[in-house]
Amino acid sequence: MLAPGDAEDQEKARLAAEEMTLKAASQLGEAQPASVTVRAIIGFPAEELIKASENADLLVVGSRGAGGFATLIVGSVSNQVAHHAHCPVAVVR
């Protein structure tokens, strides 16, 4: 189910992520990857990340999200992705 403003919000999120990615990559000097793909997707996070892993060399996810289980070291999404991804997964704290 999509709301009328979802496409606009999705594009804003993609542009923000692309800007942050370019900034981070520019600080890597010669260690910059040959390419980085930035996409904004609406869906269930773990499911969409696992789908994205089918065509990825590496998937990088955060270790914890906004869930209420503060004592967990790895969040439920990163845990699912780490177990079901089709490529290597780096879980960053």
Side-chain angles (χ1 to χ4, degrees):
M1 191 166 122
L2 298 174
D6 285 348
E8 184 178 321
D9 290 342
Q10 183 177 5
E11 181 60 13
K12 285 180 186 177
R14 188 193 65 76
L15 289 171
E18 191 169 75
E19 183 179 322
M20 288 186 294
T21 301
L22 289 172
K23 183 179 178 180
S26 72
Q27 297 174 1
L28 297 175
E30 292 183 28
Q32 285 188 28
S35 68
V36 176
T37 303
V38 176
R39 297 184 323 182
I41 299 169
I42 295 173
F44 294 105
E47 182 179 310
E48 295 300 332
L49 288 166
I50 292 166
K51 274 193 241 178
S53 76
E54 293 174 1
N55 299 311
D57 295 321
L58 174 68
L59 194 60
V60 180
V61 295
S63 64
R64 292 175 48 193
F69 301 99
T71 59
L72 290 178
I73 293 177
V74 176
S76 59
V77 171
S78 55
N79 188 39
Q80 276 190 284
V81 171
H83 284 90
H84 300 288
H86 302 277
C87 69
V89 176
V91 181
V92 179
R93 191 170 182 165

